[in-house]
Amino acid sequence: MTTAARTSADSSTDTYDVIVIGAGPTGENVADRTQAAGLSTVIVEAELVGGECSYWACIPSKALLRPQAALGAARAVPGAREAAGGKLDAATVLARRDWATGGWKDDGQVGWLDSVGVDLVRGVGRLDGPRRVVVRTPEGGERVLTARHAVAVCTGTRALLPDLPGVAEVRPWTSREATSAHEVPGSLLVVGGGVVAVEMATAWQSLGTQVTVLVRGSGVLPRWEPFAGELVAEGLRGAGVDLRTGVSVTAVRREGDSGPVTATLSDGSELTADEILFATGRVPHNEDLGLDTVGLAGGAWLEVDDSCQVRNVDGGWLYCAGDTNHRALLTHQGKYQARIAGAAIAARAKGEPLDTAPWGAHAATADHEAVPQVVFSEPEAAAVGVTAEEAERAGRRIKVVDYEIGNVSGAYLHAENYRGHARAVVDLDRNHLIGVTFVGPGVAELLHSATIAVAAQVPMERLWHAVPSFPTISEVWLRLLEAYRDQ
């Protein structure tokens, strides 16, 4: 039976080895691994195959951010600067964003599922007891799916809107509207100081919007090393963003159906803009998943072990990979967990022991201390592992080494007046890196080397023999090691 026929079936019961709920990058990877292992697999999706990342998060946001990053890089170098006048063409930037998302059509992703032999059922999937999923199809019918071995929940998260007077009536932007809007607003209020707030403020300011960022705390990126937030805030203000800290929104209202939005602030003042974006957190997208039918609480994060098997479910048949388990809310970590979960499901289905798998394929150990993340702001911020404060709070004996990236030859050749900073956190008892943070133009591509050093627990004396090429920004590695040696 074809995928289209399966999608349109009204009332049928099908049995598969594995059912995956959610066809984002995480769900796709679980399905790919289990199908490749010889387990018949079906994936259930209520919206677009490819999920949040492909259409409303990573892909469109980076498509919006890249043009300004390229222009800024050109303007930072004399000789190129003179050829890089003018402003971004907003219409072209938005058109390229639309191209990157496939125009919010998932034909290509559906074709990929077909190519690997994974069946697709469109509709809202809901657990209905052990190993059973009922799908409410777009046509109003029901499809009942039964799993022989496993069901994997890969439903991700949704934006959290604060409980404020008037918030529902003003139809605020969340990350979805911020990455998919087809017109450039004249002004935008951004509420929040995390990654979404910083990136969307950067993107829309570059397209000509006057952006005001309202941060309840003392600065942006509060969970990062302090210098990261400071340099990123400096970059935002330098681009023209009005960044205000220590202030929160207490109420919102909109004039008419499409008029401006007014936000009342905690200091009693008011701000008005064309649109308001709340980037104030994420919650698990599982409130109507039927978790109560298997003894779990709907709307709660699902606790899993390192094989992504959900705890406290009899029979060990339920898995959860990606954001919904709250281990690391990042697409690349979700895909990593998916590979682990897929391998674990296949091994258990075949009666194979997990602890004999090569490469630690059945344990998501990187979720604990080697999670990499990039903020595509100007300047970029990139980090892996723990901060110095987190390490100290955990009682670890550490040494912290810092270096100004602009002092290496590769940096001042990369950009005139390069401004950036690097920090390495070394566990003195274990003699290896447990955290690295870079901030500066172009530092995102430095991160994987740091991730390898942290994940592999490379001894500090061995890192000395990993020689960086000259003249590149990666020479900062040598300078950090020298600082560590000389302290």
Side-chain angles (χ1 to χ4, degrees):
M1 187 178 292
T2 66
T3 299
R6 286 189 180 279
T7 302
S8 62
D10 265 357
S11 57
S12 60
T13 302
D14 291 290
T15 299
Y16 290 85
D17 292 325
V18 179
I19 303 169
V20 180
I21 307 176
T26 300
E28 288 178 316
N29 274 268
V30 172
D32 183 38
R33 292 304 167 107
T34 56
Q35 184 72 28
L39 302 180
S40 62
T41 302
V42 62
I43 196 165
V44 179
E45 176 54 49
E47 294 186 287
L48 296 175
V49 177
E52 198 80 10
C53 175
S54 300
Y55 305 103
W56 300 286
C58 317
I59 298 301
S61 66
K62 303 316 168 280
L64 291 172
L65 288 159
R66 178 56 188 160
Q68 179 57 34
L71 184 61
R75 288 176 174 170
V77 182
R81 176 184 301 141
E82 291 71 17
K87 301 183 297 183
L88 293 177
D89 185 319
T92 303
V93 172
L94 295 179
R96 184 173 182 272
R97 184 273 318 271
D98 294 353
W99 166 83
T101 61
W104 290 273
K105 295 180 179 178
D106 61 3
D107 298 358
Q109 296 294 91
V110 172
W112 176 79
L113 287 178
D114 286 341
S115 73
V116 297
V118 173
D119 284 340
L120 168 66
V121 173
R122 291 193 184 274
V124 178
R126 193 175 191 277
L127 293 169
D128 186 31
R131 297 184 176 85
R132 179 181 163 98
V133 175
V134 176
V135 183
R136 187 174 69 252
T137 68
E139 297 79 16
E142 276 193 354
R143 193 76 184 279
V144 180
L145 306 173
T146 303
R148 296 185 186 91
H149 298 296
V151 176
V153 172
C154 305
T155 49
T157 58
R158 58 176 177 82
L160 171 66
L161 286 175
D163 184 17
L164 294 176
V167 71
E169 290 76 15
V170 303
R171 301 180 308 282
W173 280 11
T174 66
S175 54
R176 282 198 165 196
E177 291 77 17
T179 55
S180 64
H182 287 282
E183 294 183 3
V184 178
S187 54
L188 173 66
L189 299 178
V190 178
V191 184
V195 177
V196 172
V198 165
E199 290 191 344
M200 289 299 94
T202 301
W204 288 106
Q205 183 76 29
S206 76
L207 295 177
T209 301
Q210 178 53 56
V211 177
T212 301
V213 177
L214 305 173
V215 184
R216 181 173 57 186
S218 60
V220 298
L221 305 183
R223 297 176 182 173
W224 290 58
E225 295 285 6
F227 68 83
E230 292 165 6
L231 288 172
V232 169
E234 180 183 299
L236 286 170
R237 290 190 170 109
V241 172
D242 180 5
L243 174 60
R244 306 186 187 190
T245 59
V247 63
S248 58
V249 176
T250 59
V252 289
R253 66 181 187 274
R254 186 186 288 274
E255 294 183 21
D257 290 335
S258 57
V261 177
T262 298
T264 303
L265 307 185
S266 53
D267 60 8
S269 64
E270 292 187 338
L271 289 175
T272 299
D274 292 329
E275 300 291 349
I276 186 168
L277 162 64
F278 283 100
T280 49
R282 310 285 298 181
V283 292
H285 192 25
N286 64 3
E287 62 275 13
D288 191 31
L289 191 62
L291 293 172
D292 57 306
T293 69
V294 297
L296 299 173
W301 304 104
L302 296 183
E303 184 183 352
V304 300
D305 64 16
D306 282 348
S307 72
C308 295
Q309 190 178 71
V310 177
R311 298 185 190 277
N312 303 317
V313 174
D314 292 341
W317 55 272
L318 187 62
Y319 291 75
C320 177
D323 289 4
T324 316
N325 64 33
H326 208 231
R327 288 166 69 101
L329 277 64
L330 297 159
T331 295
H332 46 272
Q333 292 299 123
K335 293 166 69 174
Y336 163 71
Q337 292 171 17
R339 297 190 290 271
I340 300 294
I345 290 169
R348 287 181 172 129
K350 298 174 182 179
E352 299 171 355
L354 300 191
D355 57 2
T356 60
W359 297 13
H362 300 144
T365 57
D367 288 340
H368 302 303
E369 292 190 337
V371 176
Q373 183 174 4
V374 178
V375 182
F376 291 90
S377 49
E378 290 191 24
E380 291 175 347
V384 63
V386 298
T387 64
E389 180 183 349
E390 288 169 338
E392 289 173 344
R393 198 162 55 237
R396 303 175 84 155
R397 196 169 65 92
I398 63 171
K399 179 184 285 190
V400 178
V401 291
D402 292 275
Y403 195 80
E404 295 298 320
I405 302 176
N407 291 336
V408 304
S409 299
Y412 63 72
L413 290 172
H414 181 89
E416 187 179 42
N417 300 319
Y418 187 105
R419 183 153 164 70
H421 192 81
R423 169 169 290 181
V425 180
V426 183
D427 186 310
L428 293 175
D429 294 318
R430 295 161 64 178
N431 190 37
H432 66 77
L433 290 167
I434 55 174
V436 182
T437 301
F438 302 111
V439 181
V443 298
E445 298 301 335
L446 290 178
L447 187 58
H448 194 56
S449 56
T451 303
I452 291 171
V454 172
Q457 302 181 4
V458 181
M460 295 302 292
E461 59 270 17
R462 287 304 307 157
L463 281 179
W464 186 257
H465 299 283
V467 182
S469 299
F470 180 88
T472 65
I473 298 175
S474 63
E475 193 181 10
V476 70
W477 275 109
L478 173 60
R479 303 309 173 206
L480 286 170
L481 288 166
E482 288 175 335
Y484 173 73
R485 178 198 61 189
D486 296 339
Q487 274 189 9

